[in-house]
Amino acid sequence: MKLSALTFLLLIAGGVAAIPVEDSVEAVETESSLDEVTTFDADAGDVLVTSADDIYTADATDGTLVIPYENDSFTCGNTLTQSQIVTIESHFSSALSTFNAQSADILAAAAVKRSAIPVVWHVIYTSKTLAGGYISNSAVKKSISALNAHYKGSGFGFKLKQIKRKKNTNWFKKTKGNPTDSYMIAMKNALHTGGASTLNVYTVDFADNTLGLAAFPWDYYGFPKRDGVVLQYNAYPGGSYKNYNQGKVLTHEVAHWLGVYHVFQGGSCSGMGDYVVDTPQQSTVSWGCPASKDSCPSIGGGDNIHNFMDYTYDKCKTKFTKGQMTRATQMSNAYRF
């Protein structure tokens, strides 16, 4: 489905960032310059094409790298203004109506696609060490297993198709959590694989305090190469990023990729918030693992401290709501499937 308004795309995506001259060579790199590619069977998930990664016994070293941890000031790069939200929601309503008007066969096909979303995982690294970003196949598989566990019962499923590895120090160390960051754009332009329904995941060591960033589904038809999720490399299950090492950063970002907002979207106790009816109104971000929190006490319900779309520690996040998954289904129908 093509979007009808270019101005909508430019407004939401923020326009195209210029790539510095020093990155001009990186920006035109193609898949042929990849260092290693591992492909998995479509049904069983078995490794069909192996690479040098097979001799990397990461299970013995995962989690041993100590990363200094000073505070809770990490961010997810997915922030939207209320004026952007109004534009998005208006367009979404129209796009969903168009999708729902299609034949029963198309609607059924979308459900099948949602149940087995192909994942291409791009390991960006600077050296063949864990500290250099060279996470193992095992770490990637654990991430996909956790992702499927967190989305169990939602109708969404994820199938690992490929692990691709690329040595690029600039992309690994200099990428920032901004969708117009020049290093991120160069990386995605060179490596992105598949179409709107393929989930591309890139792991880097963010140069700022970002843990993850996702392209929203409505961005795809304006900037298809920029689609996907960029993730802090050591935030996988059993990884070394303190308090965020159960794979739930990926779960959070994939929900954005499917069209779900933060539970504190809008930062107010009035208005539509995250546009989901069964998440209580919440005006502030939640940090750590509070016993309870209520930023809108006059409304009732308490804050969503256990929801995957807040910022609490991984050990505190345990659920999506039915309404959030309904929204994810509708958004992905309108823009991805």
Side-chain angles (χ1 to χ4, degrees):
M1 179 187 300
K2 291 184 178 180
L3 302 189
S4 58
L6 179 60
T7 54
F8 164 78
L9 294 165
L10 292 176
L11 171 64
I12 303 307
V16 180
I19 297 174
V21 173
E22 65 184 30
D23 291 335
S24 59
V25 175
E26 294 179 359
V28 298
E29 286 185 302
T30 63
E31 184 174 321
S32 62
S33 64
L34 288 169
D35 302 306
E36 302 163 15
V37 179
T38 303
T39 302
F40 296 86
D41 179 79
D43 297 317
D46 297 328
V47 177
L48 296 180
V49 182
T50 58
S51 70
D53 182 64
D54 289 343
I55 63 173
Y56 176 65
T57 55
D59 285 341
T61 58
D62 284 1
T64 60
L65 178 66
V66 177
I67 301 295
Y69 185 83
E70 298 177 355
N71 54 48
D72 295 328
S73 62
F74 87 90
T75 64
C76 161
N78 291 78
T79 57
L80 295 166
T81 67
Q82 285 307 104
S83 62
Q84 288 176 321
I85 292 290
V86 170
T87 304
I88 290 165
E89 293 303 316
S90 175
H91 195 279
F92 165 53
S93 178
S94 175
L96 182 61
S97 295
T98 300
F99 174 84
N100 288 337
Q102 297 182 93
S103 69
D105 288 345
I106 293 177
L107 299 179
V112 172
K113 290 179 180 179
R114 288 196 304 274
S115 69
I117 296 171
V119 181
V120 178
W121 195 293
H122 306 270
V123 177
I124 312 301
Y125 67 98
T126 187
S127 66
K128 287 191 175 183
T129 64
L130 188 57
Y134 202 83
I135 63 174
S136 67
N137 283 356
S138 174
V140 175
K141 290 179 180 178
K142 289 176 183 176
S143 298
I144 300 301
S145 293
L147 187 64
N148 280 311
H150 301 156
Y151 281 86
K152 184 178 180 180
S154 68
F156 290 96
F158 304 88
K159 186 71 175 179
L160 182 62
K161 300 292 291 185
Q162 283 187 316
I163 299 174
K164 300 184 177 184
R165 298 177 181 275
K166 179 62 186 175
K167 183 177 182 180
N168 190 303
T169 298
N170 280 344
W171 296 349
F172 180 69
K173 296 295 293 184
K174 296 182 180 181
T175 294
K176 294 182 179 180
N178 184 320
T180 60
D181 176 75
S182 60
Y183 295 104
M184 185 181 297
I185 291 173
M187 174 181 68
K188 288 183 172 183
N189 280 343
L191 303 179
H192 184 271
T193 301
S197 60
T198 297
L199 173 60
N200 283 254
V201 179
Y202 306 82
T203 47
V204 302
D205 188 15
F206 280 105
D208 51 14
N209 62 343
T210 302
L211 267 179
L213 174 71
F216 284 110
W218 50 82
D219 292 330
Y220 180 81
Y221 291 96
F223 304 98
K225 289 288 189 179
R226 299 190 196 179
D227 196 36
V229 168
V230 185
L231 187 70
Q232 176 65 26
Y233 80 97
N234 55 342
Y236 59 84
S240 59
Y241 203 106
K242 186 178 179 181
N243 294 320
Y244 297 96
N245 58 0
Q246 295 182 10
K248 295 175 183 178
V249 177
L250 177 61
T251 299
H252 176 111
E253 297 305 333
V254 168
H256 285 318
W257 185 78
L258 293 170
V260 181
Y261 298 139
H262 290 133
V263 289
F264 48 84
Q265 176 62 46
S268 173
C269 293
S270 62
M272 294 299 293
D274 63 354
Y275 285 77
V276 175
V277 296
D278 60 358
T279 53
Q281 200 82 12
Q282 180 172 333
S283 64
T284 62
V285 173
S286 304
W287 301 106
C289 195
S292 64
K293 176 174 173 281
D294 192 350
S295 59
C296 297
S298 63
I299 297 176
D303 286 0
N304 306 274
I305 57 176
H306 299 298
N307 195 284
F308 289 122
M309 301 313 290
D310 208 339
Y311 278 8
T312 48
Y313 292 159
D314 275 9
K315 67 181 180 180
C316 296
K317 293 194 289 284
T318 59
K319 65 182 180 180
F320 288 116
T321 68
K322 182 177 179 181
Q324 285 174 312
M325 290 300 94
T326 296
R327 180 177 175 84
T329 298
Q330 293 173 338
M331 274 282 184
S332 59
N333 283 347
Y335 296 111
R336 293 205 178 278
F337 305 121

